Amino acid sequence: MALNDRRDFLKLCLSAAPALALSRRAMAQVAIIGQAHTAPSPQLRRFVDPLPIPRTLEPHRRRHGKLSYRVRMVEFERRLHSDLPPARLWGYEGEYPGPVFEARCGIPVSVKWENHLPLQHLFAIDQRLHACAPPTPAVRVVPHLHGARADSRSDGLPENWFTPGHSVVYHYPNQQNAATLWYHDHAGGIERLNLYAGMAGFYLLRDDRELAMHLPDGDYEIPLLLQDRRVDANGQLVYQPTFADGTLPAPGAWAPQLFGDLPVINGAIYPFLEVEPRRYRLRVLNGANGRFFNVYMNLAKKPTDIPRLVTFHQVGSDGGLLADPVPMQHLLLGPAERADLIVDFTGLEGQTVTVSNNAKSPFPGWDLINPLYAPLPELMQFRVTRPLAPGAKSFSMPPPISVPRLDPAQAVCTRTFVLTEDTDKQGRSLRMMIDGKMYDEPTTEFPVLGSIEKWRFINTTDDAHPMHLHLVQFQIVERQGYDHASFLLYNKLVMRGFARKPAPNEMGWKDTAILNPGEVLTILVPFLGFTGKYVYHCHIAEHADNDMMRPFVVVAPGKKETSDA
Ligand code: C2O
Ligand code: CU
Ligand code: CU
């Protein structure tokens, strides 16, 4: 037997099989009766606040075919709901979500990111996490453009943080497909807190081909940032993570999951938007710390009524347009995933479409009698109350385009990563890991620039993880179950059941993909653009902070593995 020590034995007991994991959860559920729970947010009226539409950021200079921007990160106050007092928030240019970058393929952008935040953090910092012990300052930021192919020095690596009074200039060449990118904070060990404080925004990259397609634009193209938050009676954000059994860590300490009991869409709780009976383009981003959303458009009045679903089309994924629009009734998005949607409100005059959600938290969830976390069945409303604007031009669906599928035979190597959760004697999470390594242990992966590699992630934990790689856009090959017992006892990977091809809406370019519990996710990754250090991690921000993140270093062809760049 490969049971080396007590830790392995515990790991085996605690996460050997979904059935075991379920009973662990179920037992924990029984055990916590009577224990302290997070105070719920105040009851708030739904759909009374208009959906905030983030404004477009103006470049501060245009020179030599290059755009320069300046973005200040500041603390500011804003109401998250009209019945609440203003909340203290952190945001780019004092906005939540941050302003939208309108970028064009081939036109490089540089951004001066300035840290004007106060010296005190909005939330408690767990000094046990890497890079968090004094004398490291509490307030640190580093912006990351998620999905971008950028030089390592402009990537926003977790260790490249800077403190209030400092700034960096990052360069984004925009040499990649038109896509829905987003920017957010990435400071090591406190990314989850900075993101939760409000530090996220859209970066829409367009090209001539897309601009010639007559997709809905202007007022008819809506970025939608989906998040969840908890607030106190004064309207202030409450960052309260929990363990898998719903119990709370010591005040200010890390715990693996964070679920708010209120949906916050574009920075507003339960907002609504009045729309015309016509096509709209929605750029949907799951910007939550840890919540998955399974979104559907519902014409029924109440969440308990029989749903009347509106079919919509997904036309793009993380890294650009899909080959063909995919008709859908449900859209599953893990944290950091994006979907480019066309929703047609034609013929729905006078009706209300509730953007609804039925994803469990944690995802994919366990069938317990009482779910530990609010399910957030309603997110926001579209009210088809506006008349069609006179002389309105008509918008089309995108025509079919070619999105070449990578061939697994092109892969020069296969790398396999094992995701685990370290637990204490009570089964409470101590940290999440990839290959049992901490982020700051030496780099082990050195892909060669220009090559294609096959990466496989094995999930030995109870929950799904949205796996993200910096620098690249990849393609999903398949997902398949495997035998936990053989893997944990004999370190043998025995596949189970059928390998499932990605769903039609996952057939395009991705930079984040869901890894289900008990499964192996296989992706094909072309390493293009730059050599240097990047990271891959789970995009549940709590997991990324402790410590489900590892570096990789892209090396030039002909060069052998080197030490850390
Ligand atoms: Cu969106 Cu490394 O992150
Ligand atoms: Cu990223
Ligand atoms: Cu994770």
Side-chain angles (χ1 to χ4, degrees):
M1 288 224 305
L3 287 178
N4 301 322
D5 56 29
R6 196 176 150 73
R7 200 175 94 183
D8 278 359
F9 179 66
L10 269 177
K11 220 185 321 188
L12 171 67
C13 295
L14 294 173
S15 49
L20 283 179
L22 175 57
S23 58
R24 165 188 156 201
R25 281 265 162 87
M27 282 177 342
Q29 174 100 357
V30 174
I32 57 155
I33 289 172
Q35 283 198 28
H37 256 88
T38 328
S41 299
Q43 290 282 328
L44 292 166
R45 294 180 298 148
R46 297 186 182 188
F47 316 123
V48 294
D49 290 301
L51 177 79
I53 307 288
R55 73 176 170 102
T56 299
L57 187 65
E58 283 306 316
H60 133 115
R61 206 171 41 207
R62 295 167 201 268
R63 224 176 19 215
H64 313 305
K66 185 180 161 163
L67 299 178
S68 306
Y69 294 85
R70 174 181 178 216
V71 177
R72 289 156 293 196
M73 295 167 250
V74 297
E75 182 172 298
F76 64 103
E77 290 205 332
R78 223 201 59 208
R79 279 173 219 281
L80 300 174
H81 186 282
S82 50
D83 294 344
L84 290 174
R88 269 211 295 161
L89 302 167
W90 286 8
Y92 300 99
E93 289 293 294
E95 291 162 44
Y96 171 45
V100 179
F101 285 89
E102 279 287 347
R104 291 291 289 274
C105 292
I107 300 182
V109 154
S110 65
V111 184
K112 183 164 185 233
W113 300 97
E114 302 178 1
N115 183 350
H116 296 276
L117 290 165
L119 294 169
Q120 265 241 287
H121 208 288
L122 273 187
F123 306 113
I125 287 166
D126 186 334
Q127 300 185 347
R128 297 168 305 169
L129 305 197
H130 76 77
C132 290
T136 307
V139 177
R140 303 173 279 126
V141 296
V142 59
H144 166 59
L145 181 53
H146 180 123
R149 185 187 293 165
D151 188 285
S152 167
R153 280 161 296 188
S154 291
D155 182 65
L157 293 172
E159 60 270 33
N160 289 346
W161 48 263
F162 50 99
T163 50
H166 293 86
S167 64
V168 294
V169 179
Y170 280 179
H171 302 280
Y172 307 113
N174 297 323
Q175 304 270 12
Q176 61 186 103
N177 286 339
T180 311
L181 309 183
W182 67 298
Y183 60 99
H184 62 83
D185 196 69
H186 214 295
I190 54 167
E191 171 184 339
R192 70 195 186 290
L193 306 175
N194 292 353
L195 175 63
Y196 195 79
M199 302 184 74
F202 284 87
Y203 186 107
L204 303 179
L205 181 53
R206 306 179 194 273
D207 64 7
D208 294 338
R209 179 179 67 171
E210 187 194 300
L211 288 166
M213 282 181 181
H214 307 292
L215 304 179
D217 60 4
D219 292 346
Y220 308 102
E221 182 183 24
I222 313 283
L224 277 186
L225 169 63
L226 311 185
Q227 296 180 316
D228 57 338
R229 294 286 184 272
R230 185 179 298 276
V231 298
D232 63 17
N234 297 318
Q236 303 304 310
L237 293 176
V238 175
Y239 179 85
Q240 179 56 72
T242 53
F243 290 108
D245 59 8
T247 55
L248 310 182
W254 177 90
Q257 50 198 33
L258 186 286
F259 302 114
D261 56 358
L262 292 169
V264 179
I265 314 301
N266 286 358
I269 294 167
Y270 289 120
F272 72 90
L273 181 70
E274 291 191 291
V275 295
E276 298 176 21
R278 53 164 32 227
R279 280 188 174 129
Y280 280 71
R281 182 179 189 186
L282 308 180
R283 307 277 201 141
V284 188
L285 156 64
N286 179 347
N289 279 44
R291 185 180 285 271
F292 287 59
F293 291 100
N294 192 33
V295 172
Y296 56 101
M297 309 271 172
N298 193 357
L299 287 166
K301 291 231 153 46
K302 284 182 288 168
T304 45
D305 293 348
I306 296 168
R308 283 173 53 217
L309 301 187
V310 176
T311 300
F312 52 87
H313 286 80
Q314 183 169 344
V315 301
S317 54
D318 305 336
L321 290 174
L322 296 167
D324 293 288
V326 180
M328 301 189 10
Q329 292 191 319
H330 290 89
L331 165 71
L332 177 64
L333 287 181
E337 287 190 292
R338 288 88 70 207
D340 195 348
L341 304 183
I342 303 278
V343 183
D344 196 350
F345 298 109
T346 307
L348 298 178
E349 288 87 341
Q351 306 216 51
T352 295
V353 178
T354 304
V355 181
S356 305
N357 160 53
N358 62 7
K360 290 199 183 133
S361 298
F363 188 82
W366 305 92
D367 288 315
L368 299 175
I369 308 134
N370 311 300
L372 287 169
Y373 305 99
L376 301 193
E378 296 182 315
L379 303 177
M380 66 164 288
Q381 278 185 345
F382 288 109
R383 298 187 194 143
V384 195
T385 45
R386 293 169 73 105
L388 206 56
K393 54 178 174 176
S394 71
F395 296 124
S396 330
M397 294 286 276
I401 60 165
S402 97
V403 177
R405 288 296 292 171
L406 301 175
D407 177 358
Q410 295 171 271
V412 298
C413 71
T414 301
R415 299 181 195 267
T416 303
F417 304 98
V418 184
L419 276 73
T420 55
E421 177 170 16
D422 260 12
T423 51
D424 67 9
K425 292 196 200 78
Q426 287 93 49
R428 286 173 153 212
S429 188
L430 296 166
R431 67 183 67 79
M432 317 295 297
M433 290 215 265
I434 301 175
D435 284 346
K437 293 193 183 76
M438 304 291 284
Y439 174 64
D440 50 10
E441 289 182 56
T443 305
T444 45
E445 319 306 324
F446 296 89
V448 174
L449 183 67
S451 70
I452 297 176
E453 295 193 351
K454 188 194 274 186
W455 284 29
R456 294 194 306 177
F457 296 97
I458 303 175
N459 187 352
T460 70
T461 76
D462 298 346
D463 305 319
H465 305 271
M467 299 310 296
H468 169 52
L469 278 71
H470 285 211
L471 175 72
V472 301
Q473 292 290 334
F474 57 75
Q475 289 183 355
I476 300 175
V477 179
E478 61 192 23
R479 295 185 177 90
Q480 190 169 7
Y482 71 97
D483 190 89
H484 283 255
S486 333
F487 188 69
L488 290 168
L489 289 172
Y490 309 112
N491 198 22
K492 250 180 75 182
L493 184 62
V494 180
M495 305 308 286
R496 285 271 180 262
F498 295 104
R500 296 184 332 276
K501 293 283 153 220
N505 67 316
E506 289 189 319
M507 292 291 274
W509 294 105
K510 298 281 294 166
D511 55 48
T512 309
I514 296 173
L515 167 62
N516 296 305
E519 285 195 351
V520 179
L521 165 74
T522 306
I523 61 175
L524 279 173
V525 192
F527 289 89
L528 300 174
F530 295 93
T531 57
K533 181 177 179 181
Y534 296 92
V535 298
Y536 61 105
H537 57 90
C538 169
H539 218 290
I540 292 176
E542 284 63 35
H543 297 184
D545 272 348
N546 184 30
D547 207 50
M548 203 171 247
M549 167 145 54
R550 288 284 297 154
F552 65 89
V553 173
V554 181
V555 297
K559 284 219 177 139
K560 259 287 151 226
E561 305 187 349
T562 53
S563 58
D564 282 25

